[in-house]
């Protein structure tokens, strides 16, 4: 997984039916984890807010354990970091 | 997922039978998401047009929720972003 | 998926039994898609020749729709691009 | 897999239910394996401590063979390297 | 898949039970395929020796066709290249 900061959200009205109701958040990985990815879009599964540092599961892991097995997603917020600022 | 702009399409006459009827679009990720990938080819599942900003699911996610479970695809357009220009 | 040019092939006599009969082609991605990967080896499923521009499926997608479900492959040529030179 | 050094851990109180009890370790890949990834977060399955060099399985492999099939994780520590310092 | 040279091996005494008996080899991808990855650790399934050029399957492909379906591995040597020096 990687840790990133939620920097915003994005709206998509016309989308795959299995994505209806999903919240798409823009994630900026913390500096030390940036080599893995630039910013990315992750579906929120834990009620994260803008500015929070979150744990993001990538790939098939994103669809596991949160009732999204049939959604076309490859990134999900699966946890909120208690003190993420120390990671920057 | 990543967000990118549809910049064109590509035609393949000789292809895997399970790809017959698929529309192959060329996607250029927005600048902030470029570290993940350069341009790539994604199958369109939502009727996206050239110039539109779209949400692209990568990996096994591309085959979920749109009847493409048996197609050899690793990237699919799963949503159209309402206002993508603000992401550039 | 990415688009690349078939630049050669490679021979492996001692290999996994499930790869017997597979044709291993060396693929050089087109410039705009190079950030995803450098050259790679893909199994040919559509009869591609050296110099042709091809559509390559990566990851688990490589094993779908062409009877290679039980082969240890992570990249497959799944289509031949009609006019690939315009992509360079 | 890649080899990395455990440099710390991270705490997430609000998280996916299937992650309760998981230990999240921060991994810094050894220099020669850094091109694959920057630092990342991996779940510990073998009792690794800070400062140890470990073998990290990525992707779906992270959920195999350690009873974590239903956890949304994409990286797991699956072994401790006997002499990792020689890899730096 | 990528082609790399076996440059060494690594020993892990404390590891996941499903990895007992696995040989962990360090692979250095050939120059043209380095953009995909730096060095990595792959499980040997074909009896490769140090200095040999090998075909490495990545991701879920690593667990297919060699009886390692339940091992937490994401890279496996699946073939030995007959003449790998020409690839450098």
């Amino acid at each position: 997984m990687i840790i990133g900061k939620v920097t915003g959200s994005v709206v998509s009205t016309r989308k795959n039916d299995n994505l209806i109701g999903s919240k798409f958040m823009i994630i900026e990985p913390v500096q030390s984890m940036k080599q893995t990815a630039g910013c990315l879009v992750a579906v929120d599964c834990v009620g994260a807010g803008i500015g929070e540092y979150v744990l993001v599961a990538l790939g098939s892991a994103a669809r596991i354990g949160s009732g999204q097995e049939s959604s076309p997603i490859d990134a999900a917020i699966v946890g909120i970091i208690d003190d993420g600022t120390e990671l920057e």
Side-chain angles (χ1 to χ4, degrees), chain A:
Chain A
M1 290 73 71
I2 60 167
I3 294 171
K5 191 178 186 173
V6 182
T7 61
S9 63
V10 73
V11 178
S12 169
T13 304
R14 287 162 57 198
K15 58 177 176 285
N16 184 297
D17 287 349
N18 295 27
L19 292 175
I20 293 173
S22 295
K23 277 174 56 189
F24 304 108
M25 312 304 275
I26 298 179
I27 309 291
E28 182 179 355
V30 296
Q31 196 61 42
S32 65
M33 303 194 182
K34 276 223 169 136
Q35 201 172 348
T36 311
C39 289
L40 52 89
V41 177
V43 169
D44 182 21
C45 305
V46 293
I50 291 178
E52 285 190 295
Y53 287 86
V54 294
L55 189 65
V56 180
L58 303 172
S60 52
R63 298 188 295 277
I64 293 186
S66 52
Q68 312 214 57
E69 283 73 7
S70 57
S71 299
I73 64 173
D74 59 31
I77 300 175
V78 295
I80 297 173
I81 303 301
D82 287 14
D83 186 359
T85 54
E86 66 187 15
L87 295 165
E88 288 284 22

